Amino acid sequence: MESDIKLAQHNPFVDETHNPSLISWLKSANGHPSFPIQNLPFGVFIDAEQIPRCGVAIGDFVINLHTLGLQRIFSGKAQIGLEALRETCLQRFMSLGREFSVAFRQALSNALTDGSQHEMAVRKALISSADVSFCLPCQIGDYTDFYTSIHHATSVGKLFRPNNPLLPNYKWLPIGYHGRASSIHPSGIPVFRPIGQTLNADTQQPELTATAKLDYEVELGIFIGQSTESFEPVCIQQADAHFFGVSMLNDWSARDIQAWEYQPLGPFLSKNFISSISPWIITAEALAPFRVPPTNYQDRPEVVNLQSNENSLLGGFDIQMTCHIRTEQMRHQGIPAFKLSQTTFKHAFWTIAQMITHHTQTGCNLNSGDLLGSGTQSGPTESEAGSLLEITQGGQHPIHLPSGEKRFFLEDGDEIEISGYCESENGLRIGIGSVSAVIYPPKNTKPTQTIKPAASSDSALCHSDPVAHLGE
Ligand code: MN
């Protein structure tokens, strides 16, 4: 406790907007479990005219920033920010950079504080959050998925290499691969079970079939704010300036398609059919009180370009991440969702700043609105495993649900919900939001097809050597 207070005193990111005793004139904001005045996350909702509008969540309401922007209530950088937020997505505001995000947050916090002269102006822009639906918060140009959880990497590695689960590069660099941005969808969009090529275990022949090993991945989605320049690596001290905020991310995966396709270039169709994100982006500023030192793992090599004092002191984030399942039968019987796991992002081996620095090391530029996936987040204990691949040990040990059903992997009608929140010892709690989706049968169902192998090289094709890792 004492060390926490000492740390908080030295957390330069914390300011008056994080004061737990700050009270809003909007009653539903005070004590709200997700959206108190200390949070102020950004999202894009559809208004009554079916036009996308930027909004901020506060209590049980959304502030329509297009409406708020009609009144010139801010000044300086905060007003420039508000004007950028009158567009139909967050891109331009995100591109302005940290100084503008900080200025806008301070101005909006003041306007929402009890006794503010701007109460009437903000009231005119309030919409009940029950009346709105959400779309993607920005144009996600590129999506990169990392593998930052050492617990996930270790437990998945153990399935293949019980004595040597971590590959030799793991502690030297944040492993990642370039993913697919076109199929990132907002929460609520159904997941149609993908059809792809898998290896039939009995015949040892590939066939085109609906995946039998559909899985979820509990991840944090990390949004890039200000763009970086081509051929200009971002040093670790500067990386945080490009971090805009986070949402919850479910990186749906088809493990049987993955097992057959992933060597030698990594996952492809097994992860490109859909990734789902929660509606709100919780800003780097809102997350300030929940910055923590990264977990002190043993045998961490000294990688000079990925280390800094700032990163060692406050590079981690204590973000709680929970995952629930509710099957069709559970819904019919009125059985509440069943918790599959809970962990925190502070267990990640690599930090957000390290991901950004490593990504740009060769000169690759990051653009405003780009999304980085944290990789499946698992913690040190069994109840913290962030995918069915880990929980069922690759489909060997089923999960038993309160309905009497069991699961090795996901079945049609199952709903997966991943949600997040941060809580501090001084009583401050903010929600990260939640992402959920229901699984449906394949959209265009076709019978299973065995693929006729080429006359010659057929047998060599079908001996997949499971040496490396699934997951991400
Ligand atoms: Mn992933």
Side-chain angles (χ1 to χ4, degrees), residues 328-378:
E328 196 167 11
Q329 188 180 321
M330 289 165 76
R331 284 195 297 278
H332 283 151
Q333 295 179 349
I335 299 172
F338 176 78
K339 190 193 270 192
L340 291 167
S341 69
Q342 177 162 356
T343 191
T344 154
F345 183 58
K346 76 176 181 184
H347 293 311
F349 190 85
W350 297 103
T351 65
I352 291 171
Q354 287 172 324
M355 285 185 246
I356 290 171
T357 292
H358 183 63
H359 202 307
T360 61
Q361 179 57 47
T362 52
C364 171
N365 55 316
L366 295 171
N367 287 318
S368 303
D370 282 359
L371 182 67
L372 311 181
S374 64
T376 308
Q377 292 301 303
S378 301

Coordinates of all heavy atoms in Angstrom, one line a residue, residues 328-378:
E328 N -26.6 -21.8 -26.3 CA -28.0 -21.6 -26.7 C -28.9 -22.2 -25.6 O -29.9 -21.6 -25.2 CB -28.3 -22.2 -28.0 CG -29.5 -21.8 -28.7 CD -29.6 -22.2 -30.1 OE1 -28.8 -23.0 -30.6 OE2 -30.5 -21.7 -30.8
Q329 N -28.5 -23.4 -25.1 CA -29.3 -24.1 -24.1 C -29.3 -23.3 -22.8 O -30.4 -23.2 -22.1 CB -28.7 -25.5 -23.8 CG -29.6 -26.4 -22.9 CD -28.9 -27.7 -22.7 OE1 -28.4 -28.3 -23.6 NE2 -29.0 -28.3 -21.5
M330 N -28.2 -22.7 -22.4 CA -28.2 -21.9 -21.2 C -29.1 -20.7 -21.3 O -29.8 -20.3 -20.4 CB -26.7 -21.4 -20.9 CG -25.8 -22.5 -20.5 SD -24.1 -22.1 -20.6 CE -23.9 -21.0 -19.1
R331 N -29.2 -20.1 -22.5 CA -30.1 -19.0 -22.8 C -31.5 -19.4 -22.6 O -32.3 -18.8 -21.9 CB -29.9 -18.3 -24.1 CG -28.6 -17.5 -24.2 CD -28.6 -16.6 -25.5 NE -28.6 -17.3 -26.7 CZ -27.5 -17.8 -27.3 NH1 -26.3 -17.7 -26.7 NH2 -27.6 -18.5 -28.4
H332 N -31.9 -20.6 -23.2 CA -33.2 -21.1 -23.1 C -33.6 -21.4 -21.7 O -34.8 -21.2 -21.3 CB -33.4 -22.4 -24.0 CG -33.5 -22.0 -25.4 ND1 -33.1 -22.9 -26.4 CD2 -34.0 -20.9 -26.1 CE1 -33.3 -22.3 -27.6 NE2 -33.8 -21.1 -27.4
Q333 N -32.7 -21.9 -20.9 CA -33.0 -22.3 -19.5 C -32.8 -21.2 -18.5 O -33.0 -21.3 -17.3 CB -32.0 -23.5 -19.1 CG -32.3 -24.8 -19.9 CD -31.4 -25.9 -19.5 OE1 -30.4 -25.7 -18.8 NE2 -31.7 -27.1 -20.0
G334 N -32.4 -20.0 -19.0 CA -32.2 -18.8 -18.2 C -31.0 -18.9 -17.3 O -31.0 -18.3 -16.2
I335 N -30.0 -19.8 -17.7 CA -28.8 -19.9 -16.9 C -27.8 -18.8 -17.2 O -27.6 -18.5 -18.4 CB -28.1 -21.3 -17.1 CG1 -29.1 -22.4 -16.8 CG2 -26.8 -21.4 -16.4 CD1 -28.6 -23.8 -17.2
P336 N -27.3 -18.1 -16.2 CA -26.4 -16.9 -16.5 C -25.1 -17.4 -17.2 O -24.8 -18.6 -17.1 CB -26.2 -16.3 -15.2 CG -26.6 -17.2 -14.1 CD -27.6 -18.2 -14.8
A337 N -24.5 -16.5 -17.8 CA -23.2 -16.8 -18.5 C -22.2 -17.4 -17.5 O -22.2 -17.0 -16.3 CB -22.6 -15.5 -19.2
F338 N -21.4 -18.3 -18.0 CA -20.4 -19.0 -17.2 C -19.0 -18.4 -17.4 O -18.6 -18.2 -18.6 CB -20.4 -20.5 -17.6 CG -19.4 -21.3 -16.8 CD1 -19.6 -21.7 -15.5 CD2 -18.2 -21.7 -17.5 CE1 -18.7 -22.5 -14.9 CE2 -17.3 -22.5 -16.9 CZ -17.5 -22.9 -15.6
K339 N -18.3 -18.1 -16.3 CA -17.0 -17.4 -16.4 C -15.9 -18.5 -16.8 O -15.7 -19.5 -16.1 CB -16.6 -16.7 -15.1 CG -15.3 -15.9 -15.3 CD -14.7 -15.4 -14.0 CE -15.3 -14.1 -13.6 NZ -14.5 -13.6 -12.4
L340 N -15.3 -18.2 -17.9 CA -14.2 -19.1 -18.4 C -12.9 -18.7 -17.9 O -12.0 -19.6 -17.6 CB -14.2 -19.1 -19.9 CG -15.4 -19.8 -20.7 CD1 -15.3 -19.4 -22.2 CD2 -15.4 -21.3 -20.5
S341 N -12.6 -17.4 -17.7 CA -11.3 -17.0 -17.2 C -11.3 -15.6 -16.8 O -12.2 -14.8 -17.2 CB -10.3 -17.2 -18.3 OG -10.5 -16.2 -19.3
Q342 N -10.4 -15.2 -16.0 CA -10.1 -13.8 -15.6 C -8.6 -13.6 -15.4 O -8.0 -14.4 -14.7 CB -10.9 -13.3 -14.4 CG -10.5 -11.9 -14.1 CD -11.6 -11.2 -13.1 OE1 -12.6 -11.8 -12.8 NE2 -11.3 -10.0 -12.7
T343 N -8.0 -12.6 -16.0 CA -6.6 -12.3 -15.8 C -6.4 -10.8 -15.9 O -7.3 -10.1 -16.1 CB -5.7 -13.1 -16.8 OG1 -4.4 -13.0 -16.4 CG2 -5.9 -12.6 -18.3
T344 N -5.2 -10.4 -15.9 CA -4.9 -9.0 -16.0 C -3.7 -8.8 -17.0 O -2.8 -9.6 -17.1 CB -4.5 -8.3 -14.7 OG1 -3.7 -7.1 -15.0 CG2 -3.8 -9.2 -13.7
F345 N -3.8 -7.7 -17.7 CA -2.8 -7.4 -18.8 C -1.4 -7.1 -18.1 O -0.4 -7.1 -18.8 CB -3.2 -6.2 -19.6 CG -2.3 -5.9 -20.7 CD1 -2.0 -6.8 -21.7 CD2 -1.8 -4.6 -20.8 CE1 -1.1 -6.4 -22.8 CE2 -1.0 -4.2 -21.9 CZ -0.6 -5.2 -22.9
K346 N -1.3 -6.9 -16.8 CA 0.0 -6.6 -16.2 C 0.9 -7.8 -16.2 O 2.1 -7.7 -16.0 CB -0.2 -6.1 -14.8 CG -0.5 -7.2 -13.7 CD -0.6 -6.6 -12.3 CE -0.9 -7.6 -11.3 NZ -1.0 -7.1 -10.0
H347 N 0.3 -9.0 -16.5 CA 1.2 -10.2 -16.6 C 1.9 -10.3 -18.0 O 2.7 -11.2 -18.2 CB 0.3 -11.5 -16.4 CG -0.2 -11.6 -15.0 ND1 0.5 -11.5 -13.9 CD2 -1.5 -11.9 -14.6 CE1 -0.2 -11.7 -12.8 NE2 -1.5 -12.0 -13.2
A348 N 1.6 -9.5 -18.9 CA 2.2 -9.5 -20.2 C 3.7 -9.4 -20.1 O 4.2 -8.6 -19.3 CB 1.6 -8.5 -21.2
F349 N 4.5 -10.1 -20.9 CA 5.9 -10.0 -20.9 C 6.4 -8.7 -21.5 O 7.4 -8.1 -21.1 CB 6.5 -11.2 -21.6 CG 8.0 -11.4 -21.4 CD1 8.5 -12.0 -20.3 CD2 8.9 -10.8 -22.4 CE1 9.9 -12.1 -20.1 CE2 10.3 -11.0 -22.2 CZ 10.8 -11.6 -21.1
W350 N 5.7 -8.3 -22.6 CA 6.0 -7.1 -23.3 C 5.0 -6.0 -23.1 O 3.8 -6.3 -23.1 CB 6.2 -7.5 -24.8 CG 7.3 -8.5 -25.1 CD1 7.1 -9.8 -25.4 CD2 8.7 -8.2 -25.1 NE1 8.3 -10.4 -25.6 CE2 9.3 -9.4 -25.4 CE3 9.5 -7.1 -24.9 CZ2 10.7 -9.6 -25.5 CZ3 10.8 -7.2 -25.0 CH2 11.4 -8.4 -25.3
T351 N 5.5 -4.8 -23.1 CA 4.6 -3.7 -22.9 C 4.1 -3.1 -24.2 O 4.7 -3.4 -25.3 CB 5.3 -2.6 -22.1 OG1 6.3 -2.0 -22.8 CG2 5.8 -3.1 -20.7
I352 N 3.1 -2.2 -24.1 CA 2.6 -1.5 -25.3 C 3.7 -0.7 -25.9 O 3.9 -0.7 -27.2 CB 1.4 -0.6 -24.9 CG1 0.2 -1.5 -24.5 CG2 1.0 0.4 -26.0 CD1 -1.0 -0.7 -23.9
A353 N 4.5 0.0 -25.1 CA 5.6 0.8 -25.7 C 6.6 0.0 -26.4 O 7.1 0.3 -27.5 CB 6.3 1.6 -24.6
Q354 N 6.9 -1.2 -25.9 CA 7.8 -2.1 -26.5 C 7.3 -2.7 -27.8 O 8.0 -2.8 -28.8 CB 8.2 -3.3 -25.6 CG 9.1 -2.8 -24.4 CD 9.3 -3.9 -23.4 OE1 8.4 -4.6 -23.0 NE2 10.5 -3.9 -22.8
M355 N 6.0 -2.9 -27.9 CA 5.3 -3.3 -29.1 C 5.5 -2.3 -30.2 O 5.8 -2.6 -31.4 CB 3.8 -3.6 -28.9 CG 3.5 -4.9 -28.2 SD 1.7 -5.2 -28.1 CE 1.4 -5.0 -26.4
I356 N 5.3 -1.0 -29.8 CA 5.3 0.1 -30.8 C 6.8 0.3 -31.3 O 7.0 0.4 -32.5 CB 4.8 1.4 -30.2 CG1 3.2 1.2 -30.0 CG2 5.1 2.6 -31.1 CD1 2.6 2.4 -29.3
T357 N 7.7 0.3 -30.4 CA 9.1 0.4 -30.7 C 9.6 -0.7 -31.7 O 10.2 -0.5 -32.7 CB 10.0 0.5 -29.5 OG1 9.7 1.7 -28.8 CG2 11.5 0.5 -29.8
H358 N 9.3 -1.9 -31.3 CA 9.7 -3.1 -32.1 C 9.1 -3.0 -33.5 O 9.7 -3.3 -34.5 CB 9.4 -4.4 -31.4 CG 9.9 -5.6 -32.1 ND1 11.2 -5.8 -32.3 CD2 9.2 -6.6 -32.7 CE1 11.3 -6.9 -33.0 NE2 10.1 -7.4 -33.2
H359 N 7.8 -2.7 -33.5 CA 7.1 -2.6 -34.8 C 7.7 -1.7 -35.8 O 7.7 -1.9 -37.0 CB 5.6 -2.3 -34.6 CG 4.7 -2.7 -35.6 ND1 4.8 -2.4 -37.0 CD2 3.5 -3.4 -35.6 CE1 3.8 -2.9 -37.7 NE2 3.0 -3.5 -36.9
T360 N 8.3 -0.6 -35.3 CA 8.8 0.4 -36.2 C 10.3 0.3 -36.3 O 11.0 1.2 -37.0 CB 8.5 1.9 -35.6 OG1 9.1 2.0 -34.3 CG2 7.0 2.1 -35.5
Q361 N 10.9 -0.7 -35.7 CA 12.4 -0.9 -35.7 C 13.0 -0.8 -37.1 O 14.1 -0.2 -37.3 CB 12.8 -2.2 -35.0 CG 14.2 -2.5 -34.9 CD 15.0 -1.3 -34.2 OE1 14.6 -0.9 -33.2 NE2 16.1 -0.9 -34.8
T362 N 12.4 -1.4 -38.1 CA 13.0 -1.5 -39.4 C 12.6 -0.3 -40.2 O 13.1 -0.1 -41.4 CB 12.5 -2.7 -40.1 OG1 11.0 -2.7 -40.1 CG2 13.0 -4.0 -39.5
G363 N 11.8 0.6 -39.7 CA 11.3 1.8 -40.5 C 9.9 1.7 -40.9 O 9.4 2.5 -41.6
C364 N 9.2 0.6 -40.5 CA 7.8 0.5 -40.8 C 7.0 1.6 -40.1 O 7.2 1.8 -38.9 CB 7.3 -0.9 -40.4 SG 5.5 -1.1 -40.5
N365 N 6.1 2.3 -40.8 CA 5.4 3.4 -40.2 C 4.0 2.8 -39.7 O 3.4 1.9 -40.3 CB 5.1 4.5 -41.2 CG 4.5 4.1 -42.5 OD1 4.9 3.0 -43.0 ND2 3.5 4.8 -42.9
L366 N 3.6 3.4 -38.6 CA 2.2 3.1 -38.0 C 1.3 4.3 -38.3 O 1.8 5.5 -38.1 CB 2.3 2.9 -36.5 CG 3.1 1.6 -36.1 CD1 3.3 1.6 -34.6 CD2 2.4 0.3 -36.5
N367 N 0.1 4.1 -38.7 CA -0.8 5.2 -39.0 C -1.9 5.3 -37.9 O -2.2 4.3 -37.3 CB -1.5 4.9 -40.4 CG -0.6 5.1 -41.5 OD1 0.2 6.1 -41.5 ND2 -0.6 4.2 -42.5
S368 N -2.4 6.5 -37.8 CA -3.5 6.8 -36.9 C -4.6 5.8 -37.2 O -5.1 5.7 -38.3 CB -4.0 8.2 -37.0 OG -3.0 9.1 -36.9
G369 N -5.1 5.1 -36.1 CA -6.2 4.2 -36.3 C -5.7 2.8 -36.5 O -6.6 1.8 -36.4
D370 N -4.4 2.5 -36.7 CA -3.9 1.1 -36.7 C -4.2 0.4 -35.4 O -4.2 1.1 -34.3 CB -2.4 1.1 -37.0 CG -2.1 1.4 -38.5 OD1 -3.1 1.6 -39.3 OD2 -0.9 1.4 -38.9
L371 N -4.4 -0.9 -35.5 CA -4.7 -1.7 -34.3 C -3.6 -2.7 -34.1 O -3.2 -3.4 -35.0 CB -6.1 -2.4 -34.5 CG -6.6 -3.2 -33.4 CD1 -6.9 -2.4 -32.2 CD2 -7.8 -4.0 -33.8
L372 N -3.2 -2.8 -32.8 CA -2.2 -3.8 -32.4 C -3.0 -4.7 -31.5 O -3.6 -4.3 -30.5 CB -1.0 -3.2 -31.7 CG -0.3 -2.1 -32.4 CD1 0.9 -1.7 -31.5 CD2 0.2 -2.4 -33.8
G373 N -3.0 -6.0 -31.7 CA -3.5 -7.0 -30.8 C -2.4 -7.4 -29.8 O -1.3 -7.6 -30.2
S374 N -2.8 -7.5 -28.5 CA -1.8 -7.9 -27.5 C -1.4 -9.3 -27.6 O -0.5 -9.8 -27.0 CB -2.4 -7.7 -26.1 OG -3.5 -8.5 -25.9
G375 N -2.2 -10.1 -28.4 CA -2.0 -11.6 -28.3 C -2.9 -12.1 -27.1 O -3.2 -11.3 -26.2
T376 N -3.2 -13.4 -27.2 CA -4.0 -14.0 -26.1 C -3.4 -13.7 -24.8 O -2.2 -13.9 -24.6 CB -4.1 -15.5 -26.3 OG1 -4.5 -15.7 -27.7 CG2 -5.1 -16.1 -25.4
Q377 N -4.2 -13.2 -23.8 CA -3.7 -12.9 -22.5 C -4.1 -14.0 -21.5 O -5.3 -14.2 -21.3 CB -4.2 -11.5 -22.0 CG -3.6 -10.4 -22.8 CD -2.1 -10.3 -22.8 OE1 -1.5 -10.2 -21.7 NE2 -1.5 -10.3 -23.9
S378 N -3.1 -14.6 -21.0 CA -3.3 -15.6 -19.9 C -2.4 -15.3 -18.7 O -1.3 -14.6 -18.9 CB -2.9 -17.0 -20.4 OG -3.7 -17.4 -21.6

